[in-house]
Amino acid sequence: MVQTIQEKNYHFYIETDVSRYIGEWIAVCEGKIIAHGKILKNVAREAKSLCFGKKFLLARVPDKETMIF
């Protein structure tokens, strides 16, 4: 089974220790965190310029107290 870029980015996010970005937005492109910050719009803008038209994943790294179901 071939994974799409979106699936690869998602799996990278789930399997990677992103604890240094707690409370921030991150952008993942081709298995790398290419941008991060507190303001989504700025992170998206930076990711768009760095990912050169490829699809990227935007995700907020939850605080330690956040419970995910």
Side-chain angles (χ1 to χ4, degrees), residues 29-45:
C29 184
E30 296 186 320
K32 297 178 199 163
I33 296 173
I34 59 167
H36 66 94
K38 297 276 184 188
I39 301 171
L40 175 60
K41 188 175 184 178
N42 295 345
V43 175
R45 185 181 308 123

Side-chain angles (χ1 to χ4, degrees), residues 17-26 33 35-37 60-62:
D17 177 11
V18 293
S19 61
R20 68 185 278 191
Y21 305 106
I22 287 175
E24 293 187 10
W25 288 93
I26 62 170
I33 296 173
H36 66 94
R60 186 172 184 283
V61 179

